[in-house]
């Protein structure tokens, strides 16, 4: 959906912290750590679990949007905020973690371990969660908590992998949204390997604007207002990475969760997301690796998913006025609301987990590829097309630009550092540029 | 409205001709030549002629869209097409003109002079008119003929002035639109002074798509379909000029005419247009010169026009998500349909005539200004904003992108050759960059 959907629904930047990405051994995020996260997931026994794209509704009495005062245990003010952020800075992490643990210790003994789990994970994030840690601890079984923890973990994992390969340092900006919620934007700009790398998390809530509701209705959902209002909660992680070397492709991914409370108190919820690759030059081996990694992630849940979402991706990332896809695709899905919330979350988590293994090996492979100024120029023209797609078609960008209180810098961090438009440019037949264009005009199956 | 409204409603490029811009003395286009064009214009005696922006309808029985077979005189096939285009090439013009005259001579004696007038003007254009010359000659009193001649003359005048100051050569592309009409795109790219200079004429007709009709209805016009159809004719000249030197501003102008035939046979018509300046650095003297030249053009017709259209321009070229105007403005108007068609045409012609004098002196003044790489970088960031406006907000670009048969290269020739996006860029206080931004956030009156 979006380059940076929900990336920027907020405008103030209360704190801006330059973090040295130095993960301690305890902070190393691995698949196993993540899978140990205590979720009541429904493990699908067969790869045919009946994922559907219909508007199945999940009933719930909980309200959309949460505050720290909801706690039903003792009201505890955690030493979070700047302290937790600082806790990620090399050398201070052990001290900070200790301080937080002692604060949490006032919880009941039975709740202590759960609270520690949340806290432990939080110390590995790029910044403290958007939602108060206390609220997350109290509501650890809610999907919003699970999803917020998952997107923050995805952000941290991916930033770590990108920073390691680049050698540079992410700029981390926390921002609040006046209307509710906020986000964490991590950007590496004009660095060693990457021209621009943006990884964004946002968790926003409030009332849906009529324009935004209209965009959702246009996808076939009927939204019944409650006293003229539509409370919503949306969260997601999204990223666009533009490398300098034209032989290293651009990647985009986005995983998101949406809840809307309707007039009768019922909740509409769905997940969306996708990961797609935009090379400047076609490298078949890269395309196969990328797609196969995504297919493996999908196949664990349902073998029908990859073919469907691969096709959806080709159709979605289509620059209609050019008759070209943006890149070699990947997967894309939206409005995913069955069979159960847990099933879909489990699938989305697998997709998010696949981001590092589908992309980083490609980056490493081409790190030292030499390139000519003509190749750089062709990359710049393709960057121009990237801008065209994002500004003209991308639903998430459009949603962000019309949503009051948007944080524009986070929405538009998806745009490349530089781009080019030449009048009537058409690569000569038989060239590598023409080969690329051919694939953009006629998508192929890469994971067969 | 549009960077290049109606610029690209067509997709085939049957002929592509590189023209050496070599105007003979007979081809020199001056104000006086243009004013001698035999129009029954209503010269307004007082600067208060009652221009209104309401949907006054002009009744007519003529149909929208014309073909060469409409001729009520002898059917004459003019030696036009490639011959006339070639006639603009230096050294051949006299021969070609003579040949055409002899062909036209089969007209009745009374019609001969008028036909010669049209032909004489056509030889000075960048390419032959979009409409068959024979049809123009036959219907010389119709607004569509007057407007087509005027926009072609504006294109030629402006291209000549730009090419003279640059020393480069415009690439001229003629294109046909399968659904009806066509255009002439003139582009100077990566030249001496200009990074990209596009000057486009288009004359298109056919049936309005529902999406396009919806865009027009959203401006308050009720369109009644005839057998489910809405015949329309639209024509305009539009241009965007991006110089290399950051001390030379970008200019955009567009003048257009629209006719729609409704179910009862009545015609809805209106004019639109505007000229605006986008500097990288504020130069107050330039802004004053630019606005005063436009004001003078407006004041000849009605002293109320400039203030209203200046304000409209500031409101229209507003990058909402940035809270910035695109540049220092100029004039902008749309849906202009009173007091009479001739009055409005006369006004629009005055505005088009003001393009060269409002811009070219500014270009010449800064031709030899030196600049730093930091200044070039700031220009590139502002170019990024230009792209954002054109792709996200510009009505003409959006209209073109959704209109079937659009010629995308002509619509998007408004985009700069290169642009840049930096995350969280904000110029420090007290700098020239901050001064520019201040004016973009708070438009000023320049023609007081």
């Amino acid at each position: 959906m979006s380059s940076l959907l929900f990336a920027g629904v907020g405008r103030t930047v209360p704190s801006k912290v330059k973090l040295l990405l130095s993960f301690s051994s305890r902070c190393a995020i691995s698949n196993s750590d993540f899978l140990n996260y205590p979720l009541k997931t429904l493990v699908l026994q067969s790869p045919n679990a009946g994922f559907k794209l219909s508007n199945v509704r999940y009933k719930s009495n909980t309200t959309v949007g949460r505050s720290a005062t909801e706690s039903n245990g003792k009201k505890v003010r955690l030493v979070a905020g700047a302290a937790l952020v600082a806790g990620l800075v090399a050398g201070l992490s052990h001290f900070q973690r200790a301080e937080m643990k002692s604060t949490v210790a006032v919880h009941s003994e039975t709740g202590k371990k759960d609270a520690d789990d949340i806290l432990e994970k939080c110390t590995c994030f790029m910044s403290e969660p958007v939602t108060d840690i206390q609220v997350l601890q109290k509501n650890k079984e809610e999907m919003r908590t699970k999803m917020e923890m998952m997107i923050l973990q995805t952000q941290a994992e991916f930033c770590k992998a990108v920073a390691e390969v680049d050698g540079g340092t992410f700029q981390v900006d926390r921002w609040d949204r006046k209307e509710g919620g906020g986000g964490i934007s991590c950007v590496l700009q004009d660095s060693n390997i990457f021209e621009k790398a943006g990884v964004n998390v946002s968790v926003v809530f409030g009332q849906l604007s009529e324009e935004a509701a209209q965009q959702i209705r246009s996808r076939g959902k009927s939204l019944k207002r409650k006293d003229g209002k539509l409370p919503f909660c949306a969260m997601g992680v999204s990223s666009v990475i533009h490398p300098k070397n034209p032989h290293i492709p651009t990647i985009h991914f986005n995983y998101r969760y949406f809840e809307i409370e309707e007039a009768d108190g019922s909740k509409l919820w769905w997940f969306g997301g996708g990961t797609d690759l935009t090379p400047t030059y076609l490298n078949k081996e890269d395309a196969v690796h990328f797609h196969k990694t995504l297919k493996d992630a999908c196949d664990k849940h349902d073998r029908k998913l990859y073919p469907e979402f691969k096709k959806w991706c080709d159709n979605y990332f289509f620059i209609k006025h050019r008759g070209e896809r943006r890149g070699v695709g990947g997967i894309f899905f939206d409005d995913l609301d069955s069979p159960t919330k847990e099933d879909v979350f489990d699938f989305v988590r697998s997709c998010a987990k696949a981001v590092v293994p589908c992309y980083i090996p490609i980056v490493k492979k081409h790190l030292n590829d030499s390139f000519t100024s003509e190749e750089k120029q062709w990359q710049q023209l393709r960057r121009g097309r990237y801008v065209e797609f994002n500004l003209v078609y991308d639903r998430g960008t459009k949603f962000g630009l019309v949503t009051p209180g948007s944080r524009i810098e986070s929405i538009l961090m998806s745009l490349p550092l530089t781009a080019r438009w030449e009048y009537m440019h058409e690569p000569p037949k038989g060239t590598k540029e023409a080969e690329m264009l051919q694939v953009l005009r006629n998508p192929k199956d890469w994971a067969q």
Side-chain angles (χ1 to χ4, degrees), chain A:
Chain A
M1 181 167 190
S2 151
S3 299
L4 291 160
L5 180 59
F6 314 131
V9 192
R11 63 186 150 214
T12 58
V13 186
S15 62
K16 182 174 168 180
V17 188
K18 279 242 178 192
L19 289 184
L20 184 63
L21 254 186
S22 168
F23 287 75
S24 71
S25 60
R26 292 196 59 195
C27 260
I29 302 167
S30 69
N31 279 341
S32 59
D33 279 341
F34 197 61
L35 291 172
N36 287 334
Y37 186 54
L39 292 176
K40 286 183 189 166
T41 50
L42 293 176
V43 178
L44 304 176
Q45 296 305 314
S46 84
N48 192 7
F51 279 81
K52 277 197 305 179
L53 295 166
S54 58
N55 295 335
V56 174
R57 291 188 191 178
Y58 174 82
K59 297 266 179 184
S60 165
N61 289 321
T62 58
T63 54
V64 175
R66 299 172 293 174
S67 78
T69 55
E70 283 178 305
S71 173
N72 61 0
K74 286 187 182 176
K75 283 192 184 173
V76 182
R77 292 245 52 90
L78 287 177
V79 183
L84 211 157
V85 174
L88 292 172
V89 179
L92 289 176
S93 55
H94 290 286
F95 170 73
Q96 294 295 344
R97 195 176 298 120
E99 184 177 9
M100 284 185 288
K101 280 191 180 175
S102 67
T103 315
V104 172
V106 297
H107 269 292
S108 69
E109 277 307 307
T110 48
K112 185 174 177 302
K113 193 183 169 301
D114 288 345
D116 283 355
D117 280 350
I118 295 271
L119 261 191
E120 180 76 23
K121 288 178 189 298
C122 288
T123 56
C124 298
F125 297 159
M126 298 299 285
S127 179
E128 60 175 321
V130 176
T131 304
D132 280 358
I133 292 180
Q134 192 182 354
V135 177
L136 293 174
Q137 287 172 321
K138 178 185 166 286
N139 303 298
K140 65 188 290 291
E141 293 306 321
E142 279 191 18
M143 183 51 72
R144 281 172 291 167
T145 299
K146 293 174 186 174
M147 188 67 180
E148 182 168 345
M149 293 298 285
M150 194 277 268
I151 59 182
L152 286 163
Q153 187 148 0
T154 302
Q155 181 184 48
E157 279 184 327
F158 194 61
C159 284
K160 182 192 172 197
V162 167
E164 266 177 6
V165 82
D166 182 90
T169 304
F170 272 89
Q171 174 181 332
V172 179
D173 293 319
R174 284 186 60 84
W175 45 270
D176 288 333
R177 178 172 175 266
K178 192 182 66 181
E179 296 80 355
I184 301 151
S185 296
C186 303
V187 180
L188 187 67
Q189 186 171 270
D190 207 2
S191 197
N192 301 309
I193 304 301
F194 300 103
E195 185 188 278
K196 207 167 177 189
V199 193
N200 196 84
V201 153
S202 68
V203 178
V204 304
F205 50 85
Q207 301 300 328
L208 214 57
S209 74
E210 183 45 45
E211 211 165 349
Q214 200 52 48
Q215 282 194 21
I216 291 167
R217 281 194 196 97
S218 73
R219 304 211 307 273
K221 295 184 195 293
S222 76
L223 301 176
K224 294 185 290 291
R225 286 185 181 275
K226 184 181 178 180
D227 305 329
K229 289 180 176 176
L230 271 174
F232 82 101
C233 173
M235 60 181 73
V237 58
S238 55
S239 174
V240 178
I241 311 289
H242 295 293
K244 289 182 168 176
N245 190 319
H247 299 299
I248 309 179
T250 287
I251 192 177
H252 158 249
F253 72 86
N254 168 237
Y255 291 96
R256 57 192 179 275
Y257 173 64
F258 217 106
E259 276 184 8
I260 297 179
E261 192 178 326
E262 291 198 278
D264 59 2
S266 66
K267 263 189 203 161
L268 206 58
W269 61 267
W270 69 92
F271 290 85
T275 304
D276 67 286
L277 197 73
T278 305
T280 295
Y281 287 101
L282 182 65
N283 181 304
K284 290 175 187 172
E285 200 183 60
D286 293 350
V288 169
H289 165 80
F290 186 80
H291 276 269
K292 283 202 167 166
T293 310
L294 293 174
K295 184 176 183 297
D296 287 347
C298 294
D299 284 356
K300 276 189 263 176
H301 300 269
D302 189 333
R303 285 190 190 280
K304 288 180 188 157
L305 297 178
Y306 171 78
E308 187 179 348
F309 297 164
K310 189 271 181 197
K311 194 173 159 192
W312 199 342
C313 187
D314 285 336
N315 291 337
Y316 179 75
F317 292 103
F318 182 55
I319 309 168
K320 195 178 169 188
H321 61 267
R322 300 281 189 184
E324 299 167 6
R325 272 79 197 165
R326 188 171 77 172
V328 296
I331 56 169
F332 177 89
F333 57 90
D334 207 354
D335 302 323
L336 206 58
D337 57 4
S338 73
T340 70
K341 217 184 241 187
E342 291 292 345
D343 286 332
V344 185
F345 174 68
D346 209 30
F347 164 69
V348 168
R349 191 171 51 171
S350 290
C351 294
K353 273 281 161 205
V355 170
V356 170
C358 79
Y359 183 59
I360 299 298
I362 297 175
V363 177
K364 287 181 176 166
K365 181 179 154 192
H366 297 288
L367 269 186
N368 299 312
D369 287 6
S370 63
F371 58 88
T372 65
S373 60
E374 287 73 23
E375 287 168 341
K376 187 70 189 168
Q377 194 131 320
W378 172 243
Q379 179 203 53
Q380 291 298 294
L381 288 169
R382 297 312 310 170
R383 293 271 154 89
R385 299 290 203 274
Y386 210 92
V387 171
E388 286 178 31
F389 179 83
N390 283 23
L391 295 183
V392 178
Y393 299 106
D394 188 67
R395 274 199 249 162
T397 305
K398 288 163 87 171
F399 180 90
L401 295 183
V402 301
T403 298
S406 287
R407 184 171 189 257
I408 295 305
E409 288 296 337
S410 296
I411 295 168
L412 297 184
M413 69 159 71
S414 65
L415 300 180
L417 193 62
T418 53
R420 185 177 178 90
W421 285 267
E422 282 182 26
Y423 175 68
M424 299 281 283
H425 185 280
E426 182 74 28
K429 281 183 185 173
T431 58
K432 289 186 300 171
E433 290 78 10
E435 182 195 24
M436 184 75 251
L437 218 42
Q438 183 62 22
V439 167
L440 299 178
R441 288 171 183 165
N442 305 285
K444 288 190 176 182
D445 283 330
W446 298 104
Q448 280 177 330

